[in-house]
Amino acid sequence: MLDIRKSEMDSQFEFITFSAGGQSFCLEITQIREIRRWTPVTALPHTGDDVLGVMNLRGAVIPIFDLSARFGLGRTAENERNVVIVAASHESTFGLLVESVSEILAVANEDIQETPDIQSDATKQSIQGVIAVDGAMVRVINLDAVLRSVGAVA
């Protein structure tokens, strides 16, 4: 079974699905604080390609990452449909720029398949599992691993 911050007793998970780099991903709904329309952010010097800058969120300054760039899928082209998913992990709040948000999925634990062994540690750490939806595969993001890999939020 996957370790998705739920007890073994829980058999149903809810995920928000979205597109980044033209691919389908999802996050467990309990990790998401809000979804905002894209607005320009304040860039910071000497950051990686996946760090877009910072945004003032009701008095709190949070970092914004381009999830597509973080996963090596290229930078997200500016588009009025782009959104920022504000997520929280442990004590950190941050934003993830994605192309669009699709839907909420209710998935039984046994329908979440483990990430195949493709000999990439980064992939195995960042993608917690996959869910088959209407003939396509949606990747379940391990938010903690994504944040650890950017080293931006401690």
Side-chain angles (χ1 to χ4, degrees):
M1 292 293 155
L2 298 174
D3 178 25
I4 311 179
R5 299 181 350 152
K6 287 277 191 176
S7 75
E8 293 292 323
M9 301 300 290
D10 291 339
S11 61
Q12 188 90 10
F13 296 93
E14 288 187 318
F15 295 95
I16 299 284
T17 64
F18 52 89
S19 176
Q23 305 294 311
S24 296
F25 297 94
C26 66
L27 277 173
E28 190 177 355
I29 202 165
T30 58
Q31 297 175 301
I32 297 174
R33 298 298 173 250
E34 66 183 270
I35 298 171
R36 303 175 55 93
R37 184 183 333 183
W38 168 251
T39 57
V41 297
T42 301
L44 298 174
H46 308 294
T47 59
D49 285 344
D50 58 337
V51 180
L52 297 172
V54 293
M55 170 188 286
N56 186 340
L57 182 66
R58 292 181 293 283
V61 177
I62 64 170
I64 307 296
F65 303 100
D66 183 335
L67 189 62
S68 177
R70 175 66 207 120
F71 285 157
L73 301 171
R75 290 193 72 145
T76 301
E78 287 192 30
N79 182 318
E80 64 185 36
R81 292 198 54 187
N82 292 354
V83 296
V84 173
I85 297 175
V86 178
S89 177
H90 304 289
E91 301 290 321
S92 301
T93 302
F94 51 91
L96 298 171
L97 175 65
V98 301
E99 294 162 353
S100 62
V101 172
S102 304
E103 62 183 323
I104 297 174
L105 286 178
V107 179
N109 192 28
E110 59 268 15
D111 291 336
I112 304 169
Q113 301 173 28
E114 292 191 28
T115 305
D117 185 7
I118 58 170
Q119 301 180 352
S120 168
D121 288 337
T123 299
K124 285 192 285 189
Q125 291 172 0
S126 299
I127 305 300
Q128 208 164 12
V130 292
I131 304 168
V133 179
D134 297 330
M137 302 300 284
V138 178
R139 300 150 194 95
V140 180
I141 294 175
N142 180 339
L143 201 52
D144 292 336
V146 170
L147 288 177
R148 276 194 310 271
S149 64
V150 295
V153 184

